[in-house]
């Protein structure tokens, strides 16, 4: 028996992993970071090799881990989690400061940070497990709890991008409801995700054949967390 959903019971902290390369900055959401040994303090993290941040970490060998608050809005998480630094400057309009390793520490919606130097990289199928020695760390806000992966999924109804170490694939129901061909597709203005009524949103229990107008009012873009009012119809 391989009930992969039981892996959601492992509740990880959600963080922005940032790094640098050739004077450029980038970061992504990582929820697979843990401390390995107490002395010297070291952490390990898993990162998809296709991520731009992976390229930066491999090049500079320095990272910052900015720990997100429970209050971090979904579009903010989506900006780092579902968009690529190949398309946008993720740090544009985000408050940050450059840490002692030269990488950005995010100051918006975070409760603390760690800076670390990579000491080892182990290839694991599609991902790399990086070991890193912590060289600086600080609590930024003691009044708010950090957001765990379970809280993000169960309370904030956030989703997991395909590149994440914790992504679990779900099969869409391909049976089409009558009239679905006449239903309009809608595009998220925040991230470009397209809601297709023929597909629905199987990860969030929206059946194929559901028109955009019939989505619940609290439905959000599965990729970035934007509300329904951030969508516009795609004209044929
Ligand atoms: Fe979106």
């Amino acid at each position: 028996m391989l009930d992969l959903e039981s892996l959601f019971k492992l509740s990880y902290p959600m963080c922005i992993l940032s790094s640098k390369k050739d004077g450029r900055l980038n970061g992504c959401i990582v929820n697979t970071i843990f401390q390995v040994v107490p002395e010297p303090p070291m952490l390990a993290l898993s990162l998809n090799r296709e991520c731009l941040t992976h390229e930066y970490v491999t090049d500079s060998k320095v990272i910052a881990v900015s720990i997100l608050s429970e209050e971090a809005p979904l579009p903010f998480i989506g900006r780092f989690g579902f968009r690529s630094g190949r398309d946008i400057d993720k740090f544009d309009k985000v408050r940050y400061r450059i840490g002692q390793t030269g990488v950005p520490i995010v100051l918006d919606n975070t409760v603390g940070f760690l800076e670390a130097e990579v000491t080892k990289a182990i290839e694991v199928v599609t991902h790399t497990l990086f070991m890193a020695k912590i060289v600086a760390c600080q609590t930024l806000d003691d009044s708010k709890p950090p957001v765990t992966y379970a809280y993000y999924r169960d309370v904030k109804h956030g989703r997991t991008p395909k590149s994440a170490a914790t992504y679990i694939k779900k099969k869409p129901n391909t049976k089409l409801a009558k009239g679905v061909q006449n239903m309009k597709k809608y595009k998220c203005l925040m991230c470009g995700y397209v809601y297709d009524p023929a597909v629905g949103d199987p990860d969030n229990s929206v059946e194929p054949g559901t028109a955009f107008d019939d989505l619940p009012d609290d439905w959000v873009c599965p990729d970035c967390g934007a509300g329904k009012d951030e969508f516009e119809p795609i004209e044929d």
Side-chain angles (χ1 to χ4, degrees):
M1 170 125 188
L2 202 58
D3 172 16
L4 293 175
E5 299 234 346
S6 58
L7 289 168
F8 290 144
K9 304 294 181 199
L10 285 175
S11 191
Y12 307 82
M14 294 190 57
C15 308
I16 294 172
L17 172 75
S18 50
S19 192
K20 63 173 180 176
K21 184 185 177 187
D22 301 332
R24 286 172 296 151
L25 309 174
N26 196 49
C28 64
I29 299 289
V30 170
N31 65 341
T32 44
I33 295 182
F34 62 97
Q35 187 175 356
V36 186
V37 285
E39 192 53 48
M42 292 190 67
L43 57 82
L45 69 98
S46 168
L47 191 59
N48 190 302
R49 280 203 290 282
E50 288 179 8
C51 289
L52 184 63
T53 309
H54 185 284
E55 185 184 316
Y56 284 26
V57 174
T58 304
D59 185 78
S60 68
K61 299 200 165 44
V62 283
I63 58 171
V65 176
S66 304
I67 305 161
L68 288 162
S69 147
E70 268 186 5
E71 292 174 11
L74 284 178
F76 182 81
I77 297 175
R79 178 182 184 85
F80 283 95
F82 287 98
R83 307 207 57 186
S84 172
R86 295 181 179 97
D87 303 324
I88 62 162
D89 173 4
K90 295 194 187 182
F91 286 91
D92 183 34
K93 299 189 182 75
V94 171
R95 278 196 317 129
Y96 66 91
R97 70 175 159 87
I98 298 297
Q100 69 180 57
T101 55
V103 295
I105 293 161
V106 179
L107 302 175
D108 285 332
N109 305 307
T110 52
V111 296
F113 72 87
L114 321 165
E115 280 187 86
E117 295 167 355
V118 173
T119 57
K120 198 171 187 176
I122 302 165
E123 307 288 297
V124 187
V125 196
T126 50
H127 287 58
T128 300
L129 182 69
F130 290 104
M131 302 286 176
K133 184 181 165 196
I134 297 169
V135 295
C137 50
Q138 191 184 346
T139 299
L140 297 173
D141 187 344
D142 229 352
S143 69
K144 297 181 187 123
V147 63
T148 61
Y149 186 44
Y151 187 90
Y152 170 73
R153 286 189 58 86
D154 299 340
V155 182
K156 296 174 89 78
H157 302 295
R159 289 218 320 179
T160 309
K162 289 186 175 64
S163 60
T166 44
Y167 176 74
I168 295 174
K169 190 173 183 181
K170 282 199 177 179
K171 287 198 186 96
N173 181 346
T174 49
K175 268 191 249 160
L176 292 188
K178 262 187 191 170
V180 72
Q181 291 86 348
N182 299 327
M183 294 177 187
K184 275 200 161 69
K185 294 178 184 176
Y186 277 70
K187 186 175 184 178
C188 174
L189 299 175
M190 296 285 292
C191 75
Y193 164 87
V194 173
Y195 175 77
D196 182 351
V199 178
D201 179 11
D203 287 347
N204 291 298
S205 309
V206 174
E207 292 288 321
T210 305
F212 184 82
D213 285 343
D214 292 334
L215 291 169
D217 288 343
D218 61 354
W219 181 84
V220 295
C221 172
D223 278 1
C224 76
K228 283 179 74 177
D229 53 354
E230 301 283 355
F231 279 73
E232 68 178 20
I234 299 175
E235 302 301 334
D236 296 324

